[in-house]
Amino acid sequence: MTNTSTVPNRVFPQAKQDAETAKQGAATAQTADPAYKLAFQDTEFLLREDLRPIRFQLELLKPELLLEEAKIGSTLVFYGSARIPEPAQAAALLDAATDDRSRKIAERLVAKSHYYDVARELARLASECPRDVDGKRQFVICSGGGPSIMEAANRGAADVGAESVGLNIVLPHEQAPNEFVTPSLSFQFHYFALRKMHFLLRARAVAVFPGGFGTFDEMFELLTLIQTGKAKPMPVLLFGREFWERVVNFEALAEEGVISYKDLELFRFVETAEEAWAIIREFYDLAPCGSF
């Protein structure tokens, strides 16, 4: 009988080993030229235009592998404006207003500032879900990793000692992750498309707070995916009926025949964290404590 303990797991060196060995090679005209670099260590090569498909694959794989290793089974995604202040900072907006227009905008932002606390509370409720029978965490908080509503979501998870995900993106202006994202689950993207994909791959519920172009883009893409059957239905919760009905006339879209009246059932208007969490629990038939 063969003693399997003497059979090696592999016969070729790992890429990491060869990468270290390559650093120790002799310095010659050949080894100094970029052509001699190992392809996976050659940044200039990886950044070539014709390597875009490889970069797409890398941005798909890196978060996917790390989220799987972290046993993230599903997420509760938060969309919302990066400009809505938390209540404690809201007064400063009014103080900084210099004319009627800026004062009116500040007043509206102040009126929406309570959604920071609502997002934080919803994140707390979801983050208390225990692990499932496979040891995976469900409804892990996932945000864009930035300030305002995104910060509130990650902060709510941190309030109860739970990990949370942040999907940041490189922008022309400085964009640092908020301090409440779990460092090992804080990702940075170059491609918007891959970032948006990771928002939804594990999403089992989505909380949409008042927001601008980015929030609209993400929300309507999700609604389109569900409408067309590309994604299964899930709770899509729009916080602030007054805001949403003021900026989007959903009824008019149905009246014009460009969507069906049935499409108005793809989302629900909510106002409080408790109301939103109750809808998610009912949809998935969760026990009151959130256990499975």
Side-chain angles (χ1 to χ4, degrees):
M1 179 180 291
T2 302
N3 183 359
T4 57
S5 64
T6 64
V7 179
N9 291 328
R10 58 187 298 145
V11 296
F12 295 104
Q14 294 181 335
K16 185 177 181 179
Q17 291 174 302
D18 267 357
E20 288 300 319
T21 302
K23 293 179 183 179
Q24 302 165 12
T28 68
Q30 291 75 25
T31 62
D33 194 275
Y36 196 72
K37 287 183 178 180
L38 288 168
F40 55 80
Q41 288 188 309
D42 190 342
T43 303
E44 290 302 316
F45 175 69
L46 291 174
L47 294 178
R48 288 172 54 149
E49 283 294 307
D50 33 0
L51 267 290
R52 181 179 288 122
I54 303 301
R55 294 195 297 275
F56 263 65
Q57 187 175 16
L58 289 172
E59 285 210 344
L60 174 64
L61 274 174
K62 182 180 179 180
E64 175 63 24
L65 293 173
L66 294 181
L67 289 170
E68 185 66 24
E69 289 171 2
K71 293 187 176 296
I72 308 299
S74 67
T75 57
L76 168 51
V77 173
F78 284 67
Y79 294 145
S81 176
R83 305 185 185 195
I84 297 174
E86 61 176 301
Q89 299 173 349
L93 290 176
L94 280 174
D95 293 338
T98 57
D99 54 46
D100 289 343
R101 172 181 286 183
S102 61
R103 189 172 296 107
K104 185 175 182 179
I105 292 173
E107 288 172 349
R108 289 192 175 278
L109 287 172
V110 168
K112 290 188 285 289
S113 65
H114 74 282
Y115 286 120
Y116 183 100
D117 289 338
V118 174
R120 185 175 176 182
E121 176 60 22
L122 176 58
R124 279 197 294 258
L125 290 171
S127 295
E128 292 178 336
C129 272
R131 294 181 181 272
D132 65 17
V133 293
D134 297 318
K136 291 189 174 183
R137 283 200 54 213
Q138 306 295 339
F139 300 106
V140 175
I141 301 308
C142 176
S143 83
S148 188
I149 297 298
M150 295 174 279
E151 176 188 284
N154 297 117
R155 188 174 182 179
D159 286 341
V160 293
E163 59 194 355
S164 67
V165 181
L167 306 181
N168 220 285
I169 190 159
V170 178
L171 296 174
H173 54 277
E174 184 178 353
Q175 166 106 340
N178 71 68
E179 63 179 302
F180 301 103
V181 180
T182 301
S184 62
L185 298 177
S186 182
F187 303 101
Q188 183 172 212
F189 291 84
H190 170 63
Y191 297 107
F192 263 107
L194 272 298
R195 178 178 183 249
K196 290 164 73 174
M197 178 177 286
H198 276 293
F199 268 130
L200 297 181
L201 280 175
R202 284 175 167 77
R204 297 299 179 266
V206 176
V208 188
F209 288 82
F213 289 160
T215 302
F216 275 50
D217 176 41
E218 292 153 342
M219 177 186 74
F220 279 112
E221 181 168 61
L222 171 58
L223 292 177
T224 301
L225 289 169
I226 298 174
Q227 179 200 50
T228 56
K230 293 294 288 183
K232 292 182 179 180
M234 68 179 75
V236 181
L237 308 166
L238 275 58
F239 283 80
R241 177 188 286 268
E242 181 182 358
F243 169 83
W244 288 109
E245 291 190 335
R246 180 171 184 267
V247 299
V248 183
N249 194 332
F250 294 102
E251 288 284 343
L253 290 173
E255 290 172 0
E256 292 291 331
V258 293
I259 67 171
S260 73
Y261 277 97
K262 186 174 179 60
D263 292 332
L264 300 178
E265 300 173 6
L266 297 177
F267 56 87
R268 299 271 297 272
F269 292 114
V270 294
E271 297 297 333
T272 68
E274 292 76 14
E275 180 185 5
W277 185 236
I279 291 171
I280 295 171
R281 280 179 42 215
E282 180 181 4
F283 189 90
Y284 291 106
D285 193 25
L286 304 180
C289 63
S291 61
F292 288 79

